[in-house]
Amino acid sequence: MSREAHEHLGPMIFWSIAIAITVIACAVLFYAAAGRGVNATEPQTEDANSHFRLLLAGIDADLASGKLEADQALAAKAELAREMLRSKGRMAGAQGRDLGRGLQLAGLAGVAAIAFGFYAILGSPDMPAQPLAERPEIVAQSISLGDAIAQIEARLAETPDDVRGWTVIAPAYVETGRYGDAVNAYRQVLALSAPSAEVETDLAEALLLDAGGSGSDEALDLLRNVAATDPANVRARLYLAAEAMRTGDYETAGTYWREAIGLAGGDEPWLAAAREGLAVAEAGGTDNLAGQQAEMIQSMVGGLAGRLAAEGGSVEEWTQLVQSYIVLGDLEEAQSAYDAAIAAYPAAFDRGELDTLALSAGLTLNGGTQ
């Protein structure tokens, strides 16, 4: 069979199967919905009321001959009238079932027509089925970032003016640490599209990452341009403030820190760091906050040391005091506190954790008995 004949045969087979299934389904629905009576049909005469007229004449004859009393004849006629009404009701029900069956047929035919009509518009029975592994949603779930980058690179090699491809691959390069490639990708985006503050900031970020902490004049020029043209761009101001702090230009850093903080809504994750950076910039590069924290720790440690010297304490409290001095780098005070702890707890088995901490920090056992 030729390829062309095969291509024509495929849709024909599809439609044949679809029609057969629809017909079978409609037949099943019709059979299930149709009312089925037992001995529902009765032979019909030309005059449906002739039988009742004969019975009525018989009652009158029996009344005239004396076989029936007047009240008996009246009761017989009443029963005959009720039977006539029941007979008419059965005939009307049969007609109703015929009408309902016709509506069922019409409804099922309409459903089939609508189904085929919609599929003719929306479906593509002549198209081959797409393998599951090749469907885009499955590919997107299984492909790795490296494979995705390789595919985009292959397409960009064929169509280097695809700005969408460069836009997608640039942040992927940053994510994988390929900062030089990210710089090139962002340059391509700027060259192929209208100027954008966000893309210029992205390029500046890639340049700074590629510089590895040594700074970039091109990045600073880009960031200054963004800050001047986009009053609401926070990211550019944060980078400018950080670079000014790196070079010791605390006045400029303070300006950009204030601008960034002024644009914050109050719950940004970078806000605390920006406020701390502003405090350091206003102090001329001195981290007063760190100094304040150190003073607070010294005060707490001094209070603990005074209480233990005056009142004594548990081994755990002596261990905390020695550890605090070690963290502060004051090994002389740590040794003094360790000596006092040994005097308070001369038995070595009482000081297991304390001895381990002290000896690992270079302290010596020069007091008490062991």
Side-chain angles (χ1 to χ4, degrees), residues 87-130:
S87 177
K88 290 182 180 292
R90 286 194 295 270
M91 293 175 62
Q95 292 175 353
R97 283 195 297 272
D98 291 340
L99 178 60
R101 196 168 300 169
L103 290 175
Q104 291 167 11
L105 283 172
L108 291 173
V111 170
I114 291 171
F116 281 113
F118 269 109
Y119 191 81
I121 296 172
L122 302 177
S124 298
D126 56 338
M127 292 294 290
Q130 187 177 17

Side-chain angles (χ1 to χ4, degrees), residues 69-331:
E69 299 293 333
D71 56 345
Q72 293 175 336
L74 182 60
K77 289 181 179 180
E79 179 62 29
L80 182 61
R82 285 193 290 270
E83 179 63 26
M84 290 177 65
L85 291 176
R86 285 194 291 269
S87 177
K88 290 182 180 292
R90 286 194 295 270
M91 293 175 62
Q95 292 175 353
R97 283 195 297 272
D98 291 340
L99 178 60
R101 196 168 300 169
L103 290 175
Q104 291 167 11
L105 283 172
L108 291 173
V111 170
I114 291 171
F116 281 113
F118 269 109
Y119 191 81
I121 296 172
L122 302 177
S124 298
D126 56 338
M127 292 294 290
Q130 187 177 17
L132 181 64
E134 295 180 6
R135 294 180 184 179
E137 62 272 21
I138 303 299
V139 174
Q141 294 174 5
S142 60
I143 192 171
S144 66
L145 181 57
D147 292 338
I149 291 175
Q151 290 186 12
I152 298 173
E153 287 175 335
R155 294 178 185 175
L156 288 173
E158 299 175 356
T159 56
D161 58 345
D162 180 7
V163 64
R164 183 170 175 269
W166 292 113
T167 303
V168 170
I169 204 170
Y173 281 143
V174 173
E175 181 71 18
T176 55
R178 296 171 59 179
Y179 304 126
D181 291 328
V183 169
N184 176 63
Y186 283 124
R187 291 192 197 281
Q188 295 294 333
V189 174
L190 288 173
L192 295 169
S193 59
S196 166
E198 285 300 315
V199 178
E200 288 183 353
T201 306
D202 290 334
L203 174 57
E205 179 184 45
L207 286 166
L208 290 173
L209 290 171
D210 192 42
S214 60
S216 167
D217 292 337
E218 182 184 359
L220 290 176
D221 290 340
L222 286 167
L223 293 169
R224 293 189 188 104
N225 178 66
V226 170
T229 57
D230 185 1
N233 193 300
V234 174
R235 198 154 54 106
R237 287 167 170 78
L238 291 175
Y239 276 119
L240 286 168
E243 281 299 294
M245 294 289 288
R246 185 182 65 82
T247 59
D249 187 356
Y250 301 115
E251 183 177 354
T252 300
T255 300
Y256 286 123
W257 285 130
R258 292 187 195 94
E259 290 180 2
I261 293 170
L263 294 170
D267 57 351
E268 288 80 358
W270 50 263
L271 188 55
R275 286 171 175 163
E276 184 176 346
L278 175 60
V280 174
E282 289 176 339
T286 302
D287 192 350
N288 290 331
L289 182 60
Q292 293 171 0
Q293 291 175 341
E295 290 178 4
M296 182 177 64
I297 293 173
Q298 286 279 10
S299 175
M300 293 173 62
V301 172
L304 177 61
R307 181 172 64 81
L308 290 176
E311 305 173 3
S314 65
V315 175
E316 289 76 14
E317 289 176 315
W318 283 107
T319 302
Q320 181 182 356
L321 179 61
V322 173
Q323 184 176 26
S324 297
Y325 281 130
I326 292 172
V327 171
L328 291 173
D330 192 343
L331 294 183

